[in-house]
Amino acid sequence: MPPDELEKLDPAVVAALYLEHEAELKRLLWGVLRDSQLACDVLQAAFVKLMECGHTTRAESRKAWLFRVAMNEALAIRRRQAMGKRVVDGLPSTRVSVAADEPLIRYETIQSVRRALEELPPDQRRIVEMRIYDEKTFAQIAQELNIPLGTALGRMRLALAKLRQALPDYQSP
Amino acid sequence: MNFHQSSPSRDALDWRAFCYVTDELSAEERADFERRLLDEQEAREAVARAVEVLHAAQVVLAETTAQATPRSTARPFLRGFSRLGWMSLGVAACLLLALGLQQAGWLVVPGANQRGEVAEQDAPNHFDAADEELGSALALAWTQTRKLLTPPDAGAIGWEGTGARERTNLISPSKWAEATDAASSRFLAEDVSSHEVLAIENTTEEALFEDAVVATPTWMLAAVAGMEQSAQPSAEAENPDGPKPELSVPQTDNQEG
C-alpha cells in the first residue's frame, strides 16, 4: 500500500464524524444558505475534503476544522451563485423547506421546545408566535402590540433563552 | 438595527445568531457576523442552535394553529363533497331505485299499461329511448360523483390505491407530514368544492359521457342492461306465439380443455 494512502483518514473515523456532526452542520449550513439542497451539497463537499486531507488535522480539532471548511464552502457557493445580494437584501422565508431531504430537527427537540413554549409567559409567547410563526419583524410586532421596540426585543430574547435551554444537547456555559 | 449587545457571553452570541438566521441584522452586522463565523467555532454552533430552536418552534406553533382550526375548515374535502357529491349520489340512488321499482312492476312509466307492460308497437323504440336516457343520467351522475371524490392531486399524496400507499410509506414521516400538509394547505387555501363544480360545469356533456363509458362501474352498467332484458319479455307477453330466444351458453376456447 502506498504511503500516501496509509496517511489518509480511516473511513471509520470519517463515518463516525459524519454521524456525530451531520445534523448540526446541516443546521449551520441552512442558517447560512437557507436552502436545504445547497446545504446538503456543501455538507457532502466538506466531508469529501475531510477524506482527502483530514489526516493533516489533529483529532481534537477536527470538528472545528470540518465546520470551518463547510462555512468557507457555503460562503463561496453564495458568492459563486450571486446569491449574496439576494440573501442579504431579501432573505427567503425562514420556514422549514418542504423539499428538505432530512429533517433539521429531531422529535425530542420538538417535544422539549413544545414544553418550553407552553411554560412561557403569555406576553413572551405572543412575541415568539408573531416573530417565528407569523414571520413579522420586531419593528412590526412592536407597532402592532403598541410596545417599545426594546420591550419586544427583550421579551423575545428572554423567551429564546428559555427555548434554547430546552434543547436536548444544550450545555450550560 | 443596532440593538444587539456586544457582550461576548454565550447568551449574546446566541441572540446574535438568532438575529442572523431571522434576518434581523443590517448588512454591515451580517457581514461582521459572517467573518466571525469563519473564525469562531462557538459562533458556528450558535447558528446551528438558532436554526434548531427556530424550526422546532415553527413546527410546534404550526401544530398548535392547526389544532385550533375549526373542524369545518380543517376538513374542506369532506365539506366540499357534502355539497354536490351527496346530491349526485342521491340522484344516482334514486335512479337505481326507480329502475328497480320499474323492473318489479311497481312503477308505471308513460307509455306502459296498468300492468307495466308496454304496447307492442311502441315497446322497442320506447325502451330504447328510456334505457338510453336513464343510462346516460346514471353515467353522468357517476362521473360527477367520481370527480368530486377524487382529490386533484391524489397521486402526489398516494391516495390512488394500496400500491401508491405502500410507496408513500417508504418515505420518512416528516416527508409524509410535509406532503399531507401541503395537500391540506392547498385545500385550505382554495374553495375546492366550487372549483371542482365549475370544472364539471364547464365540461361538455358529451365529454362527460365519453368519460363515463370508460369509468362507470360494471354494477351500474349491469343495472342499465337489466332494463333491456326486462323489455323483451314484456314485448313477448303481447305476442306469446312469436319466436322465443334461444338459451345459449357462450362458448369459449377453454371449455374443451
Side-chain angles (χ1 to χ4, degrees), chain B residues 202-216:
Chain B
N202 290 336
T203 311
T204 63
E205 200 164 284
E206 289 82 6
L208 272 175
F209 186 70
E210 283 172 12
D211 193 12
V213 169
V214 178
T216 308

Side-chain angles (χ1 to χ4, degrees), chain A residues 34 91 98 114 131 171, chain B residues 10 21-23 63 178:
Chain A
R34 311 295 168 82
L91 276 169
V98 171
R114 178 181 285 115
R131 181 65 193 87
Q171 293 162 350
Chain B
R10 186 170 179 174
V21 170
T22 54
D23 194 29
E63 284 174 2
E178 283 169 5

Side-chain angles (χ1 to χ4, degrees), chain B residues 126-204:
Chain B
H126 171 76
F127 266 90
D128 282 350
D131 184 19
E132 192 176 331
E133 192 179 330
L134 285 168
S136 301
L138 270 173
L140 284 171
W142 169 259
T143 304
Q144 291 186 347
T145 308
R146 188 173 58 86
K147 280 177 182 283
L148 281 166
L149 280 169
T150 308
D153 49 356
I157 54 176
W159 286 3
E160 286 185 333
T162 52
R165 186 71 180 221
E166 282 161 11
R167 285 196 299 279
T168 309
N169 285 342
L170 292 177
I171 66 173
S172 66
S174 62
K175 278 193 174 180
W176 173 256
E178 283 169 5
T180 49
D181 284 351
S184 299
S185 53
R186 183 191 173 282
F187 280 115
L188 283 169
E190 299 175 17
D191 188 354
V192 175
S193 58
S194 61
H195 175 76
E196 294 295 333
V197 169
L198 276 176
I200 290 169
E201 286 174 355
N202 290 336
T203 311
T204 63

